[in-house]
Amino acid sequence: MESLGTTCFAALRRLRHLVLARLSGCSASCEDEPCKLCPSAKAQRKDMWKEAQQMAQGILREWMEEHPGEMMPDVVLHLCHVKIKESFPLGDRSQELQAFVRYAHLDLLRVKDPPRKLRSEEDWQRLFPRYPALDNGFLVSFEPSDSLGIREALHKYGFCIVKVLTREECEKSVIAMFEEINSLRNKKGIEGPLIEVDDPSTWADKNWPSSSKFLIDSIALHPQAFANRCSREIYKAFQNIFEESRLHVSVDKWGVARGANDRPRWRVGLKPHWDVNPWQCLRDLEMGNPGYQGVVALRDHDLETGCHLTLPGCAHFLKQWSLERKLEKVSKSMKSFRAAEDDPILRYMQPVPLQQGEMVIWSVAQLHGSTHNKSDKMRLTQYIRMFPAKEAEWNINYDDRDGFSCTRVLPKCLRAGDLDHSQLESLDHFSRQLLGLEPWA
């Protein structure tokens, strides 16, 4: 699939003109510049273009039906090349013809899903192994210093759970979160009682600073939010993951999901999706590590409160998944992508309950989402991730890609007056490096 993404479209356009011009009786001098033909000649050119493309796609489609879920081999593309060359008087135009055939293949993949491999239940379970659970219903977690355990879990399952914050740090964070939320309410002139984390009577839609379904649309700028971002334990975990000490941290939001035990309308969950679409993810994997996402549980997340949801081992299956799906328009971008509701892989998603202070870290290549909160308690989180800084000179520029990169968010917050310079100046040298305010040595 990757070779298809590098198709020479300039050569394709030249070949398209050449094929149709030759077959409609144009002179050789028309090969590089479009010629003006009468309407009937133009129609003939169009018909010839379709005929050549249909010939190639017929050969490709037949091979795909006989070899579901397999990568298209060069020998089949070459066969298309030969058949078209035999049928049309093109002369010696091998490079352009190769581009033409690859384009025909891409166009075929955009129309409908390719045939998929038939798999047994055992096959599916081998593809998506369950992350190990504890007797209390939560999952196995690692100390930040356990670099081997963390990396092995990430490699096998595509995610891992790490113990990063103490109970005291989490409770301070919950207090800070609602101080900031209620401060935002005051700035917006919202009347009514202050929102209390343990008082459902204060959770009404009109009482929140945002009308979005996620209730908060502002960056978390409380000093405790910065203390968590600059946690040495979180840093240690990501340092071991990347095997790199020069890191930057995201500046993201708090996360709230109201208890919706008797309020079904409040049950908000993220449908399974990739933050970066699978086709771009595959390109990133070829370049190096596409990065990770992270969420810290500030209170316990169980099956009742709802929790993170992911597909264990998805990163390993991504290439095969792409061979069995049509090529979507989003594949040329960095945009996210939601799995189809009838995709069989959804049956193997695994809920990821977290104990207070634990952090789930997952590869960007992981299909993930979240489950609904069906309890009478809030589910509370802080979104934090780290990645190599520009000084580390990795193949991927994470700062430029990440919409919540510290180097992008902090200048905006300062310009908008949402954040005061003094708050950042009071941070220690390590924190300022992590936030991109000072360079790593």
Side-chain angles (χ1 to χ4, degrees):
M1 181 69 70
E2 301 310 307
S3 62
L4 301 180
T6 59
T7 302
C8 179
F9 289 103
L12 169 62
R13 287 193 294 270
R14 290 196 301 272
L15 179 68
R16 177 178 178 176
H17 174 76
L18 173 65
V19 171
L20 304 175
R22 287 273 183 96
L23 290 168
S24 57
C26 297
S27 66
S29 62
C30 297
E31 292 177 7
D32 295 319
E33 296 294 335
C35 58
K36 295 181 180 180
L37 301 173
C38 66
S40 61
K42 289 181 179 179
Q44 184 181 14
R45 289 179 59 174
K46 185 176 180 180
D47 290 343
M48 293 298 181
W49 160 244
K50 287 183 178 179
E51 185 180 344
Q53 185 170 346
Q54 288 170 1
M55 175 183 291
Q57 291 183 342
I59 297 170
L60 297 170
R61 189 181 295 109
E62 181 179 351
W63 186 90
M64 291 164 65
E65 293 288 346
E66 294 175 357
H67 303 82
E70 294 186 24
M71 174 76 77
M72 181 67 67
D74 288 341
V75 66
V76 179
L77 299 175
H78 181 68
L79 176 62
C80 295
H81 178 158
V82 171
K83 291 293 184 181
I84 294 175
K85 194 172 181 180
E86 289 175 351
S87 303
F88 301 102
L90 298 176
D92 186 16
R93 292 279 174 169
S94 294
Q95 184 177 354
E96 290 92 336
L97 190 50
Q98 287 171 4
F100 174 85
V101 171
R102 291 183 184 278
Y103 174 82
H105 185 209
L106 281 172
D107 187 67
L108 181 61
L109 293 176
R110 293 187 185 103
V111 176
K112 65 176 183 178
D113 286 340
R116 298 180 185 176
K117 280 187 176 180
L118 295 177
R119 296 180 175 88
S120 67
E121 182 62 25
E122 292 73 20
D123 292 334
W124 286 114
Q125 291 179 7
R126 279 194 295 271
L127 285 169
F128 308 122
R130 301 292 89 181
Y131 190 98
L134 301 171
D135 292 340
N136 62 3
F138 292 98
L139 303 186
V140 170
S141 60
F142 300 91
E143 295 293 336
S145 59
D146 188 355
S147 59
L148 181 60
I150 289 172
R151 287 202 294 269
E152 285 182 346
L154 282 173
H155 176 73
K156 183 173 183 179
Y157 304 106
F159 73 101
C160 68
I161 299 168
V162 185
K163 303 169 187 175
V164 293
L165 297 184
T166 65
R167 185 184 186 315
E168 182 182 6
E169 288 171 325
C170 288
E171 289 305 318
K172 283 183 178 179
S173 300
V174 172
I175 293 170
M177 177 190 296
F178 285 90
E179 283 181 358
E180 190 162 18
I181 288 172
N182 284 309
S183 175
L184 289 169
R185 291 177 69 257
N186 292 336
K187 288 180 180 179
K188 294 187 176 184
I190 297 173
E191 298 180 353
L194 296 179
I195 299 173
E196 298 287 344
V197 64
D198 296 315
D199 183 358
S201 68
T202 66
W203 299 353
D205 292 352
K206 63 181 181 181
N207 222 21
W208 291 86
S210 170
S211 59
S212 77
K213 66 178 182 179
F214 298 113
L215 306 174
I216 303 172
D217 55 15
S218 300
I219 299 296
L221 298 175
H222 193 284
Q224 185 61 43
F226 280 97
N228 295 344
R229 289 183 187 113
C230 300
S231 159
R232 291 280 183 170
E233 298 300 286
I234 295 177
Y235 172 77
K236 192 182 300 179
F238 279 97
Q239 182 183 31
N240 286 327
I241 288 169
F242 285 106
E243 298 183 89
E244 170 63 64
S245 60
R246 295 163 296 180
L247 301 177
H248 279 169
V249 66
S250 61
V251 179
D252 210 327
K253 306 174 185 179
W254 302 112
V256 176
R258 290 173 290 186
N261 181 35
D262 56 353
R263 297 284 187 94
R265 194 174 58 79
W266 287 0
R267 292 177 185 172
V268 176
L270 286 172
K271 292 187 176 182
H273 66 283
W274 288 272
D275 290 324
V276 176
N277 71 79
W279 299 275
Q280 179 60 44
C281 240
L282 288 170
R283 292 191 285 270
D284 289 344
L285 284 167
E286 285 198 347
M287 291 175 61
N289 191 327
Y292 299 91
Q293 301 277 25
V295 166
V296 180
L298 302 179
R299 292 272 176 93
D300 284 354
H301 296 183
D302 55 33
L303 298 182
E304 287 298 306
T305 64
C307 58
H308 186 70
L309 183 70
T310 193
L311 181 64
C314 176
H316 294 298
F317 186 68
L318 201 58
K319 180 71 173 180
Q320 188 61 43
W321 182 92
S322 70
L323 291 173
E324 300 179 24
R325 304 298 186 282
K326 74 176 183 178
L327 193 61
E328 301 284 351
K329 289 182 179 179
V330 74
S331 65
K332 296 181 180 179
S333 73
M334 293 290 297
K335 293 181 180 178
S336 63
F337 184 78
R338 185 184 294 175
E341 292 185 1
D342 62 349
D343 197 313
I345 64 176
L346 297 186
R347 300 197 301 268
Y348 303 94
M349 300 285 285
Q350 181 178 7
V352 182
L354 297 171
Q355 298 185 82
Q356 186 178 46
E358 291 182 339
M359 180 179 199
V360 58
I361 300 172
W362 68 95
S363 166
V364 173
Q366 282 291 117
L367 178 67
H368 66 281
S370 62
T371 60
H372 294 158
N373 188 340
K374 299 178 182 178
S375 74
D376 57 2
K377 299 179 291 186
M378 282 192 181
R379 182 173 78 242
L380 305 174
T381 60
Q382 185 175 352
Y383 298 97
I384 301 173
R385 56 187 171 273
M386 295 184 186
F387 40 82
K390 287 184 179 180
E391 299 96 299
E393 297 182 343
W394 280 48
N395 287 343
I396 297 175
N397 189 328
Y398 297 93
D399 277 298
D400 286 350
R401 285 193 173 196
D402 196 320
F404 291 97
S405 164
C406 53
T407 59
R408 299 179 69 175
V409 174
L410 291 180
K412 291 180 183 178
C413 292
L414 290 167
R415 286 196 299 270
D418 298 327
L419 185 64
D420 191 86
H421 281 281
S422 61
Q423 186 175 339
L424 299 177
E425 289 169 357
S426 64
L427 296 171
D428 61 25
H429 179 58
F430 166 76
S431 298
R432 288 179 60 80
Q433 287 178 313
L434 202 52
L435 287 163
L437 299 171
E438 293 181 11
W440 288 96

